[in-house]
Amino acid sequence: MHTSFIVFNIIGLIIVIIAAVRIGMKISKASKQESPDAQNKISYDDCLAKNNSSFKYGTFTDTRDGETYHTVKIGNQIWMAENLRYKAEGSFAPKNDEENVKKFGRLYTWTSALGIPDEYTEQSPAKDIEMYHQIKEDNFQGIAPEGWHIPSLKEWEELMNNFPDNSNGIELRSECIWQHPGEDSVGFFALPAGYRFNNGTFCQFGKRARFWSKDEYGKTNAYRMSITENSMDLEGVYRSDAISVRCVKNV
């Protein structure tokens, strides 16, 4: 009886140890999945160097803050090949870490991206009919530097038309940072900066890229371009969310 009790306890201890090891492995795996650097062994610097040698990038310097950006022609459009970094009211560093800004740019609420009052987060700019018509015009500048503007929904659609209808955005995703490297076949260099909810929570850093359109989507939303490792689409999100901005050159 005593021997059986000892054996029973030993077996129970072994079961507990095995369970603890498995839980530890799951936690370790989850931690690695949350870290972009652990997901992809292609370094940012190597990725950028490869793009610099593969594409005929132009450059543009924002006179407001001296920030210089790569630019790239895709189809008939010229895009910034980096996320906007201009520090405006209503903008945030990805994951609330200013060291992320150089690579990932800043995150902007919709009203910040358009450079309009915060009151239009939950109501249409049509309240100010002059402002409304300005936003509807081609090349509406918003927070973009001089000579550039916030893309319209139509301009995002034009960019997407360069790729197959079933594209998941692999042509736009960078080869670095993402868990599954993109092809970045046009030099757009989309990086997963994630986004910020109005309550201050940062989400999907290293997993998702979102970019504003100037166009409204209902009363409290606006269109955004979204790129994940599995999809590319245009849909509405809350204007109070803070996401990335890519600028397109005036024509």
Side-chain angles (χ1 to χ4, degrees):
M1 188 71 176
H2 179 68
T3 301
S4 299
F5 180 76
I6 293 174
V7 171
F8 177 79
N9 279 296
I10 290 174
I11 293 174
L13 180 61
I14 291 173
I15 293 173
V16 170
I17 291 172
I18 292 173
V21 170
R22 287 180 175 176
I23 291 172
M25 291 174 65
K26 288 182 179 180
I27 293 174
S28 176
K29 183 178 180 180
S31 296
K32 289 180 179 180
Q33 289 177 341
E34 286 298 317
S35 172
D37 293 336
Q39 295 174 349
N40 188 332
K41 299 303 181 182
I42 303 173
S43 75
Y44 174 87
D45 289 337
D46 287 346
C47 188
L48 191 58
K50 181 180 178 180
N51 274 30
N52 285 336
S53 64
S54 300
F55 302 103
K56 293 182 179 180
Y57 282 128
T59 58
F60 171 82
T61 299
D62 188 342
T63 58
R64 298 172 297 182
D65 56 11
E67 289 283 344
T68 297
Y69 299 87
H70 282 109
T71 65
V72 63
K73 186 175 183 180
I74 304 173
N76 294 319
Q77 300 170 307
I78 296 178
W79 290 84
M80 284 188 179
E82 302 174 59
N83 294 346
L84 190 65
R85 296 187 288 271
Y86 181 66
K87 191 171 184 178
E89 186 175 350
S91 69
F92 308 88
K95 288 195 73 177
N96 205 31
D97 186 348
E98 290 293 330
E99 291 187 1
N100 287 326
V101 173
K102 184 61 180 177
K103 291 181 182 178
F104 296 92
R106 301 189 70 82
L107 306 177
Y108 303 82
T109 64
W110 186 72
T111 54
S112 176
L114 269 61
I116 62 178
D118 287 342
E119 64 184 282
Y120 297 110
T121 298
E122 296 187 355
Q123 62 178 307
S124 172
K127 177 184 176 182
D128 182 333
I129 197 64
E130 183 177 353
M131 177 191 297
Y132 179 79
H133 285 302
Q134 287 177 355
I135 294 173
K136 292 296 183 182
E137 290 177 359
D138 292 340
N139 301 334
F140 176 73
Q141 183 174 349
I143 199 68
E146 189 70 31
W148 297 77
H149 61 273
I150 305 299
S152 65
L153 175 63
K154 183 178 179 180
E155 286 173 313
W156 279 118
E157 291 173 337
E158 181 178 344
L159 175 67
M160 294 171 68
N161 285 338
N162 290 289
F163 314 119
D165 291 340
N166 62 349
S167 171
N168 65 0
I170 194 172
E171 300 90 349
L172 298 174
R173 295 199 317 267
S174 67
E175 293 188 25
C176 54
I177 308 298
W178 299 89
Q179 183 175 5
H180 302 293
E183 293 179 354
D184 201 9
S185 58
V186 293
F188 189 80
F189 202 57
L191 294 174
Y195 49 91
R196 177 188 183 274
F197 289 131
N198 190 42
N199 65 5
T201 302
F202 290 85
C203 300
Q204 297 292 302
F205 180 74
K207 297 180 180 180
R208 185 185 295 266
R210 285 180 171 177
F211 308 96
W212 280 124
S213 157
K214 70 171 184 176
D215 293 311
E216 297 176 81
Y217 181 90
K219 184 178 180 181
T220 60
N221 290 15
Y223 280 101
R224 55 88 181 115
M225 165 71 144
S226 176
I227 301 173
T228 70
E229 295 192 336
N230 303 305
S231 66
M232 172 175 66
D233 64 70
L234 292 163
E235 191 55 82
V237 294
Y238 287 115
R239 299 175 195 170
S240 57
D241 288 358
I243 65 178
S244 301
V245 164
R246 279 294 178 102
C247 304
V248 62
K249 193 172 183 179
N250 295 354
V251 293

